[in-house]
Each structure stands twice: as structure tokens, then as C-alpha cells.
Amino acid sequence: MNEIKIAAAGSTWKYAKGLATGKFGGNKWPDDVVVRWVDGEVTKYTNVDGTGFHAEQQLQTPNDRWKNHAAITAGGDFDGTTNSDFDLLVRWSDGELTVYEDLGANSLKKERQLKPANQLWTHSRVLVPGEFGGNLWEDDLFVRWSDGEVTVYGNTQADALDREYQLVPPPARSTVLLRGQHSGRPSGEETAAEESCDSVRGPGLLRRITADK
């Protein structure tokens, strides 16, 4: 009963491929929205409210990089400044993480690398920055991984992830099996020891491989 429709079915919003909300230069409220469209264009709407979307600004023209390689976008405050201008976090298709600092002031012109390309972060499925820790910035990063594990990185900066804490472990190997298309066997003939998500392709395997080196 509290739902407010701000775009009708069949509108141009069916072409929106990614959204990030936050304080991106409108006012002191986190009511601004950054949109990545299917053609790679990136735009920003400030002061979104119950009457709809306002003041669209183009941040990036249509392009192949944002179309094919920007996997996840999220708004947070990672640069440690006291202003209310949020940063845009992007997880790219090769696992690279970058932060565009103070999006309202700098648009997409001030990019910093948080993590170089890597296999582990290609397994991240949901990124949620927020103010969950002990300071006043939205710099804590929740991650839901491909194997069901949930972790949080507290006090993340624009150029470094802080310590990782596990909130939800991945399912036990004995209860979660990859299906036959991963093992090469007919469905139903997998074994837990050989085909669990955690041991075959999940971030848990990648962490163990890294620790063994």
C-alpha cells in the first residue's frame, strides 16, 4: 500500500541495466540515482521523489566499456572527506574494483583503483555500501558471493579494502552440489567432496589457493 509508482510499465526504464543511489550532488539526502543503460550510457538524476525523476545529467556517452564490462555499481562514501558527495563504486567484469570520487563534483573524471583485475571478485554478486560500522561514513561494504557467503569490509577507503569479516558462511559442502553441466556427469551423479560450489568455483577455493602460495 505504500508503493509509489514513478515510472510506468513500458517506459524507457526497461533499458536501465544498473542503478546506484546516494548523495551525488543534489542535496543532503541520498535521493540521487546513477543509471547505467544497456548501451553503456551513464546518467544521473538528482532529487528523485514521489513525482518522478528530475534533472537528468549525462555522465558518460554510450560506449562499449560501460556496456559490456561494468558489472555492478553502488554508491558509498569511501574517500574520507566530510562533504556529502558520495563516490561511485564499480565492479568490472574482470574483477577490478574502482571508485569514482565525489561524483557530484567530479563526474566520472576522478577514478581510483580499489582492486586490480582478479578472479576472486568476479564471484561477487551483490555489493551494498553503508554506514554499518563505527564512523559517520557510508564506507562499510557488504558482499554476497556466488557460493552464498556474505562478508563485510569495514571502513573501506577509495584505494584499499579494510579487514574482511564473514557474516554468513557458504553452505556446507555436503548439502550444496554443482549440477552435471559443471562436473561433466549426468545430473544426480555428483559427489559432495568433488562438486560442491565452495570447493569447485566459489570464492572459498580462491582464498585457499591464494593462502597456499
Side-chain angles (χ1 to χ4, degrees):
M1 294 182 62
N2 294 324
E3 180 181 13
I4 300 174
K5 182 186 293 187
I6 55 178
S11 72
T12 188
W13 282 87
K14 65 184 179 181
Y15 300 109
K17 197 171 183 180
L19 301 175
T21 60
K23 305 174 190 176
F24 297 118
N27 53 35
K28 65 179 181 178
W29 310 112
D31 57 2
D32 310 316
V33 179
V34 173
V35 186
R36 178 173 63 94
W37 301 94
V38 292
D39 60 359
E41 182 184 17
V42 182
T43 64
K44 178 182 73 172
Y45 295 87
T46 54
N47 304 335
V48 177
D49 56 26
T51 63
F53 297 91
H54 314 289
E56 182 183 19
Q57 175 188 352
Q58 187 181 66
L59 303 179
Q60 181 71 57
T61 58
N63 65 95
D64 287 339
R65 185 189 184 212
W66 282 84
K67 175 182 178 180
N68 299 318
H69 300 293
I72 304 174
T73 55
D77 196 2
F78 306 107
D79 61 3
T81 60
T82 57
N83 62 44
S84 60
D85 196 349
F86 272 25
D87 315 306
L88 184 69
L89 173 70
V90 183
R91 198 273 280 172
W92 301 94
S93 59
D94 60 1
E96 181 185 17
L97 295 179
T98 63
V99 171
Y100 292 89
E101 290 189 55
D102 295 339
L103 191 75
N106 301 315
S107 186
L108 295 175
K109 298 175 183 177
K110 193 175 180 182
E111 182 183 18
R112 298 183 66 175
Q113 188 180 70
L114 182 61
K115 200 78 173 176
N118 65 93
Q119 188 180 1
L120 174 62
W121 279 86
T122 64
H123 289 278
S124 61
R125 294 294 180 265
V126 179
L127 303 179
V128 182
E131 185 184 329
F132 306 113
N135 59 33
L136 301 177
W137 294 280
E138 290 79 1
D139 59 0
D140 306 306
L141 181 62
F142 274 80
V143 185
R144 198 267 287 171
W145 300 93
S146 61
D147 59 358
E149 181 184 16
V150 179
T151 63
V152 62
Y153 295 84
N155 301 334
T156 295
Q157 300 300 304
D159 58 357
L161 291 168
D162 205 350
R163 177 180 173 182
E164 179 187 34
Y165 297 87
Q166 186 185 72
L167 301 179
V168 180
R173 299 186 190 184
S174 59
T175 58
V176 178
L177 305 177
L178 289 180
R179 306 314 299 169
Q181 63 267 30
H182 296 294
S183 65
R185 303 173 186 166
S187 180
E189 293 186 8
E190 306 89 345
T191 65
E194 295 175 341
E195 303 301 333
S196 72
C197 184
D198 181 41
S199 64
V200 174
R201 67 179 179 86
L205 173 65
L206 295 175
R207 292 192 179 99
R208 291 196 297 275
I209 292 173
T210 301
D212 291 341
K213 291 183 178 179

